Amino acid sequence: MTGGEPQDESRGAARERYERIYAILRNRICLLDYPPGQRLREEDLAEEFHVSRTPLRRVLGRLEDEGLLRSVHGVGTIVTDIDIDGLQQVYQLRVELAELIGKLSPVSPQEATVAKFRALLARAARLLDEPDAREFASVNMEFTHLLAGLTANEPLREINERLYYQTTRIWLKTASKLSQYREMLVTEMTIFHREIADIVAAIEIGNLESVGHIRRAHIAMSFQRLHEQAHSADQSP
Amino acid sequence: MTGGEPQDESRGAARERYERIYAILRNRICLLDYPPGQRLREEDLAEEFHVSRTPLRRVLGRLEDEGLLRSVHGVGTIVTDIDIDGLQQVYQLRVELAELIGKLSPVSPQEATVAKFRALLARAARLLDEPDAREFASVNMEFTHLLAGLTANEPLREINERLYYQTTRIWLKTASKLSQYREMLVTEMTIFHREIADIVAAIEIGNLESVGHIRRAHIAMSFQRLHEQAHSADQSP
DNA sequence: TAGGATTTGTGCGTATGTATT
DNA sequence: TAATACATACGCACAAATCCT
């Protein structure tokens, strides 16, 4: 152990900066700082991070390969959107993959990791008194990361995170356009808080298989609720 | 329908060239034209494809993100290798995903697609009389592609193909270092021929769920055979 | 329809890092 | 240890494509 590198053991200042900028932009997209449809300018971003366009384009290229951006010659680089059908496809897949965390090389988490889960539970609890969409998205993201870390199967971890990034912003954006947005948000936060509580309980007794089942159920129900809300909104106005 | 574009509807000459070069290099890596450890020179490749290093580096960047290459500043761009443990992780995941093809949005294939499966069956049959490692790898790759196309779930299709690319060359390379290489190859080809026959039969009666189960079994057994051979080779010499 | 403004894509020279002698 | 060779990383200027007036 050399210190605090989060995941990759890749040395090299250039690579580190690349990963850093990538993570920042990805988070901005997923937290709706850059909502779907937003146009980004390479030059502005290059200036912000104090690099030239060349290394920045390397980052944008990866985000494009992962489906979060789309660059068009002569037009610009825009944050992508997904239709309800594409959203459903990703959710169906995530539902199946959730269960695999408890089946493929599950790792009993260190006490430090369990502490992080409890910290998220506390943040989710505070959210109930003081609803905040961005904080909700943030907690949700960190929770997903921690969960993905419960498997030693690295490809599975990467895929889980990748699919999450592709859908989470769409969930927020779709929900925010519905009339029942505030109630929905509170409902979701309440359910989310229960999910974390359930999963923390499962982790504390070392039953990672149950973690997978709980998570699977919640992903499936979360999409179902969104889908039904969106559908009823189509019919009523 | 405009014509013969295989999958992506992305217009733009630049993007098309990018995808073309990417596919070519990826295939060279997977078919061991560039074996693990091989060093590639950006300038040579740029010259071969009649582009400058800039767009070529975009391709290399993607191949690196997907784990097929690794660029190190001042050293070079080398084809990656995977240890047996990483190989096992990918295989375990592929085993689980194989079954999902029959469960998530399976599509009954067109007659043209079925014809392609039969054509591959014929190629596999020819392989039995005239063993050829590269042709084996080639048929195997096209077969994997066709199978991935049996689901309308695009993320699942992409992930299946991506994981395949990460492991297929390692299988070949590992096997080629064993003393029983020729026998192994013939054995694998025989089994592979049966797998295609079984799957074609399942497709012809429209049972895609069984396709998934057959595939799952074969992926699992394929890795087990490789693993046992490699292990016994460790002990004997 | 034409032309200018804007933005991404490309080409190339240079900087920087690594390995070897 | 220092110098040299060589590969990737970077910055900038220009080409190409699109949009809007």
Side-chain angles (χ1 to χ4, degrees):
Chain A
M1 275 290 189
T2 58
E5 60 266 28
Q7 39 194 21
D8 238 85
E9 70 279 5
S10 47
R11 293 298 97 215
R15 194 187 253 33
E16 242 169 80
R17 181 176 62 184
Y18 162 71
E19 297 283 357
R20 192 182 116 258
I21 298 177
Y22 163 77
I24 291 175
L25 292 184
R26 189 194 56 198
N27 282 9
R28 287 183 186 173
I29 294 172
C30 292
L31 295 177
L32 288 188
D33 295 335
Y34 300 147
Q38 166 104 29
R39 224 179 81 224
L40 306 180
R41 280 175 27 88
E42 296 181 349
E43 207 157 351
D44 290 348
L45 294 173
E47 189 183 9
E48 176 185 347
F49 294 108
H50 302 91
V51 295
S52 84
R53 282 179 54 216
T54 307
L56 184 87
R57 280 174 58 79
R58 169 88 168 81
V59 174
L60 296 184
R62 173 164 175 187
L63 290 167
E64 183 171 7
D65 290 334
E66 294 180 348
L68 270 52
L69 292 179
R70 170 115 178 139
S71 291
V72 182
H73 193 176
V75 178
T77 303
I78 26 202
V79 178
T80 56
D81 204 345
I82 308 187
D83 53 71
I84 187 70
D85 197 63
L87 195 60
Q88 181 161 25
Q89 288 187 348
V90 178
Y91 263 89
Q92 283 182 339
L93 188 50
R94 287 186 60 205
V95 163
E96 302 293 337
L97 293 182
E99 213 173 317
L100 294 184
I101 287 187
K103 289 174 63 179
L104 266 40
S105 315
V107 293
S108 296
Q110 311 274 357
E111 181 53 38
T113 304
V114 180
K116 287 181 184 174
F117 272 106
R118 293 206 191 92
L120 286 184
L121 181 60
R123 281 175 70 184
R126 273 194 292 277
L127 221 39
L128 298 180
D129 297 324
E130 202 173 324
D132 179 310
R134 198 176 188 284
E135 168 73 359
F136 176 41
S138 180
V139 177
N140 208 321
M141 188 153 81
E142 291 188 35
F143 181 60
T144 303
H145 266 100
L146 274 181
L147 276 177
L150 291 183
T151 177
N153 191 305
E154 199 175 302
L156 175 60
R157 201 165 59 217
E158 282 177 17
I159 289 171
N160 264 314
E161 295 182 346
R162 189 192 177 104
L163 292 176
Y164 172 77
Y165 296 136
Q166 286 183 359
T167 56
T168 182
R169 68 218 154 87
I170 309 294
W171 192 99
L172 269 179
K173 184 207 159 204
T174 305
S176 70
K177 292 195 298 189
L178 299 175
S179 58
Q180 315 94 327
Y181 177 48
R182 299 306 299 182
E183 317 163 23
M184 263 184 82
L185 219 49
V186 173
T187 303
E188 291 295 328
M189 289 175 184
T190 306
I191 296 175
F192 180 51
H193 177 261
R194 281 213 308 272
E195 177 184 0
I196 300 185
D198 287 346
I199 284 184
V200 165
I203 288 176
E204 282 175 340
I205 62 173
N207 192 333
L208 293 185
E209 193 179 336
S210 294
V211 171
H213 286 293
I214 297 169
R215 181 65 171 164
R216 177 190 172 120
H218 276 279
I219 292 176
M221 289 190 293
S222 166
F223 178 73
Q224 185 183 345
R225 289 191 298 270
L226 177 69
H227 194 274
E228 286 173 356
Q229 291 276 12
H231 192 259
S232 69
D234 277 348
Q235 295 180 322
S236 57
Chain B
M1 277 290 189
T2 58
E5 58 265 29
Q7 40 196 20
D8 238 83
E9 70 276 8
S10 48
R11 291 300 96 213
R15 193 183 247 63
E16 240 168 82
R17 181 177 59 182
Y18 162 69
E19 297 282 357
R20 192 182 117 259
I21 298 178
Y22 163 76
I24 291 175
L25 291 184
R26 189 193 57 198
N27 282 7
R28 287 182 185 174
I29 293 172
C30 292
L31 295 177
L32 289 190
D33 294 336
Y34 300 147
Q38 167 104 28
R39 226 182 72 214
L40 306 180
R41 280 174 30 90
E42 296 180 349
E43 205 158 350
D44 291 348
L45 294 173
E47 188 183 11
E48 175 184 347
F49 294 108
H50 302 93
V51 294
S52 82
R53 283 180 51 214
T54 306
L56 185 88
R57 280 173 59 80
R58 170 87 169 81
V59 175
L60 296 185
R62 174 164 176 189
L63 290 169
E64 183 171 7
D65 290 334
E66 294 181 346
L68 270 52
L69 291 179
R70 171 119 178 135
S71 290
V72 182
H73 192 174
V75 178
T77 303
I78 48 187
V79 178
T80 56
D81 204 345
I82 309 186
D83 53 71
I84 189 71
D85 196 65
L87 194 62
Q88 180 162 25
Q89 288 187 349
V90 178
Y91 262 89
Q92 283 182 338
L93 188 50
R94 287 186 61 205
V95 163
E96 301 293 336
L97 293 181
E99 213 173 318
L100 294 183
I101 287 188
K103 288 174 65 179
L104 301 185
S105 316
V107 295
S108 296
Q110 310 275 359
E111 181 52 40
T113 305
V114 180
K116 287 181 184 174
F117 272 106
R118 294 204 191 92
L120 286 185
L121 181 60
R123 281 175 71 185
R126 270 194 295 276
L127 221 40
L128 299 181
D129 296 324
E130 203 172 325
D132 179 310
R134 199 176 187 284
E135 167 74 357
F136 176 42
S138 179
V139 176
N140 208 322
M141 186 153 83
E142 291 187 35
F143 182 59
T144 303
H145 266 101
L146 275 180
L147 276 177
L150 291 183
T151 177
N153 191 305
E154 199 174 302
L156 175 59
R157 202 166 58 218
E158 282 177 17
I159 290 171
N160 264 314
E161 295 182 345
R162 190 192 178 100
L163 292 176
Y164 172 78
Y165 296 137
Q166 286 184 0
T167 55
T168 182
R169 71 218 152 87
I170 308 295
W171 192 98
L172 268 180
K173 184 209 159 204
T174 305
S176 70
K177 290 195 298 189
L178 299 176
S179 57
Q180 315 92 327
Y181 177 48
R182 299 306 299 182
E183 316 163 24
M184 264 184 82
L185 217 52
V186 173
T187 303
E188 291 298 325
M189 289 176 183
T190 306
I191 296 175
F192 180 51
H193 177 261
R194 281 213 309 272
E195 177 183 1
I196 301 184
D198 287 345
I199 284 185
V200 165
I203 288 175
E204 282 175 341
I205 63 174
N207 192 332
L208 292 185
E209 195 181 333
S210 293
V211 171
H213 286 293
I214 296 169
R215 181 65 172 164
R216 176 190 173 119
H218 275 279
I219 292 176
M221 290 190 291
S222 166
F223 179 72
Q224 185 184 346
R225 287 192 298 270
L226 177 68
H227 194 274
E228 286 174 355
Q229 291 276 11
H231 192 259
S232 68
D234 276 350
Q235 296 181 319
S236 58

